[in-house]
Amino acid sequence: MSTAEIQKTAEHKMQQSLESFKSSLTKIRTGRASPGLLDTVHVEYYGSMLPLSQVANLSLLDARTVGVAPWEKGMGAKIEKAIRESDLGLNPSSQGDLIRVPMPPMTEERRKELTKVVRNEGEAAKIAIRNLRRDANESVKRLVKDKLASEDDDRRSQEDIQKLTDRMIIEVDRLVASKEHDIMEV
């Protein structure tokens, strides 16, 4: 493995960590409705547990309401029960074939709790990225030790990996600030 391959692998893994962080941010409620909030809800469908998006059409009805339209008539009650029993704190209501899921208004205290959760998620993402930097630097050092790369390659590679790490951490900080702004916005 060359230093360039190590850098490319590190960049790919850091990008995956960033995508995972973005995914976890979508699950944190901001007071506005988003079909992504229901991604974690699973519904029993013919003996197996399926994500809600695979048994119903999810849409935004307005800024604070998600609409869930089951693809089969008999699924409405099961979907409603699954949403109610999820840890999202949502209370769906049926209107014919459509299930309305209103987002309750958030209290100031809850907003502050959520900003702490966002910061903790951001810190975990930064730690993952720094660990990937460490692993990449160790791999390059092994190449130098085994005489497969020069000391100059080591130094250049470490600088490149550090620049990549800095770029990823800046992106994490930007995402955290954006999510905090969304949460605190009334």
Side-chain angles (χ1 to χ4, degrees):
M1 194 177 231
S2 70
T3 56
E5 290 170 334
I6 291 171
Q7 288 174 17
K8 196 167 199 72
T9 302
E11 182 173 11
H12 178 70
K13 288 181 177 178
M14 286 181 187
Q15 198 62 47
Q16 284 180 323
S17 291
L18 195 61
E19 291 304 316
S20 172
F21 174 59
K22 285 179 185 176
S23 171
S24 68
L25 282 184
T26 61
K27 293 176 181 72
I28 298 174
R29 254 189 333 129
T30 59
R32 272 182 284 188
S34 164
L37 289 171
L38 300 175
D39 285 348
T40 58
V41 177
H42 285 68
V43 182
E44 201 236 319
Y45 184 71
Y46 292 109
S48 59
M49 296 302 281
L50 294 177
L52 185 57
S53 60
Q54 291 184 11
V55 296
N57 185 29
L58 305 175
S59 61
L60 279 181
L61 300 178
D62 59 50
R64 291 192 174 271
T65 311
V66 175
V68 181
W71 292 332
E72 287 185 25
K73 289 258 189 228
M75 289 299 296
K78 289 181 181 180
I79 290 172
E80 207 174 328
K81 182 179 178 201
I83 294 170
R84 195 169 280 119
E85 290 177 352
S86 70
D87 61 351
L88 298 172
L90 301 173
N91 192 15
S93 63
S94 289
Q95 288 184 332
D97 290 341
L98 183 69
I99 300 169
R100 296 175 60 86
V101 186
M103 297 294 130
M106 292 188 355
T107 63
E108 187 66 25
E109 183 180 317
R110 181 70 178 136
R111 290 177 192 276
K112 288 178 180 174
E113 285 175 28
L114 287 177
T115 57
K116 288 178 186 174
V117 170
V118 169
R119 286 187 190 129
N120 288 340
E121 290 281 334
E123 199 53 45
K126 288 181 191 178
I127 289 169
I129 289 168
R130 289 183 191 122
N131 287 341
L132 291 167
R133 173 189 61 190
R134 182 199 61 220
D135 295 345
N137 285 337
E138 287 174 359
S139 296
V140 172
K141 287 197 182 309
R142 261 187 256 115
L143 287 178
V144 172
K145 184 180 174 197
D146 295 343
K147 307 245 187 280
L148 298 173
S150 69
E151 301 258 337
D152 288 342
D153 290 339
D154 177 34
R155 195 167 35 259
R156 231 176 288 126
S157 181
Q158 283 192 22
E159 286 172 7
D160 291 344
I161 291 169
Q162 184 59 48
K163 285 177 188 170
L164 173 66
T165 303
D166 292 344
R167 211 172 56 236
M168 293 294 176
I169 287 180
I170 287 169
E171 180 64 13
V172 168
D173 287 339
R174 188 188 65 73
L175 290 168
V176 166
S178 172
K179 190 67 172 187
E180 283 180 349
H181 177 75
D182 286 349
I183 290 171
M184 295 310 284
E185 199 173 86
V186 179

